[in-house]
Amino acid sequence: FSLEAAGWDEPPFPHRVLRLTPFLYMGLLSFSLMQKRLSRFSLLFPIPVARYLVLAFMNIRTVDEPSWWMTLPLSLLGIAGLCMTCQFLERFDVAKFVAGFGKYSLHIYVMHRIPLTAGLLVLSKIGLLENVPIRIALAGACFVACIAVGATIERTRLAWLFKAPWLRRAKQDS
């Protein structure tokens, strides 16, 4: 939403990296601070999550020209709510499922464009591009394929492609 509001339809990749690097760095620096500050309030996670969802919906529906002063606090509220939800879920067995999902989401994020673009090209050639159930099935198949390829790559010498060094540091800090 905030990227669309800023008029960033599809800037070239180097421009996106340069523009977003300060924000990614600030997020990395604030990770442990947010983790410590929000852990005391993790039982209250439904409050910021509900507020975020309501305000985001209202913002999208009512505002013609969104600006940073509306999207920044809304984004921070959403991030806080998500962090609190994750800390709450750590207490239960569902945390293992969420951690596994998070691990494989990197595979999906990195590789999904290739099979999805190829699949959409095939659907457009055979005239099924407008068929929503088929497009949903295509997305699901792409996700499964990305997870399978990523899991296979992790058992090879290329496993380093899917390692996040800051995750080991975060576990050691806690």
Side-chain angles (χ1 to χ4, degrees):
F1 173 74
S2 59
L3 292 177
E4 187 176 316
W8 287 15
D9 291 336
E10 276 299 319
F13 180 73
H15 293 216
R16 283 185 286 186
V17 170
L18 289 174
R19 287 180 179 177
L20 295 176
T21 297
F23 300 103
L24 296 172
Y25 186 67
M26 289 187 313
L28 183 63
L29 292 177
S30 65
F31 174 75
S32 60
L33 176 68
M34 285 187 70
Q35 191 175 27
K36 290 174 187 170
R37 299 269 192 239
L38 295 175
S39 65
R40 294 180 286 181
F41 307 106
S42 65
L43 290 175
L44 302 173
F45 77 92
I47 296 170
V49 170
R51 283 183 180 170
Y52 168 76
L53 292 173
V54 168
L55 291 172
F57 178 78
M58 288 173 47
N59 193 18
I60 291 169
R61 289 286 187 197
T62 61
V63 177
D64 292 332
E65 190 76 28
S67 64
W68 70 268
W69 58 268
M70 289 187 294
T71 57
L72 179 65
L74 198 54
S75 299
L76 293 175
L77 183 62
I79 291 167
L82 182 61
C83 289
M84 291 168 67
T85 302
C86 291
Q87 288 175 348
F88 176 78
L89 291 176
E90 280 181 345
R91 301 176 181 150
F92 305 103
D93 287 337
V94 74
K96 292 177 186 173
F97 170 76
V98 171
F101 183 76
K103 175 184 175 184
Y104 292 114
S105 68
L106 181 60
H107 301 156
I108 295 167
Y109 177 73
V110 170
M111 295 184 282
H112 79 279
R113 295 292 275 190
I114 297 166
L116 191 59
T117 302
L120 290 173
L121 183 64
V122 169
L123 288 180
S124 69
K125 295 272 187 204
I126 60 175
L128 293 174
L129 191 59
E130 300 302 319
N131 190 319
V132 174
I134 290 179
R135 288 179 72 165
I136 292 171
L138 172 65
C142 288
F143 291 163
V144 170
C146 291
I147 290 170
V149 170
T152 303
I153 288 173
E154 283 196 1
R155 291 190 294 267
T156 68
R157 289 185 181 183
L158 297 175
W160 59 271
L161 290 171
F162 293 107
K163 300 295 182 212
W166 59 86
L167 291 179
R168 281 192 296 264
R169 280 188 264 139
K171 286 180 182 176
Q172 291 170 356
D173 290 344
S174 57

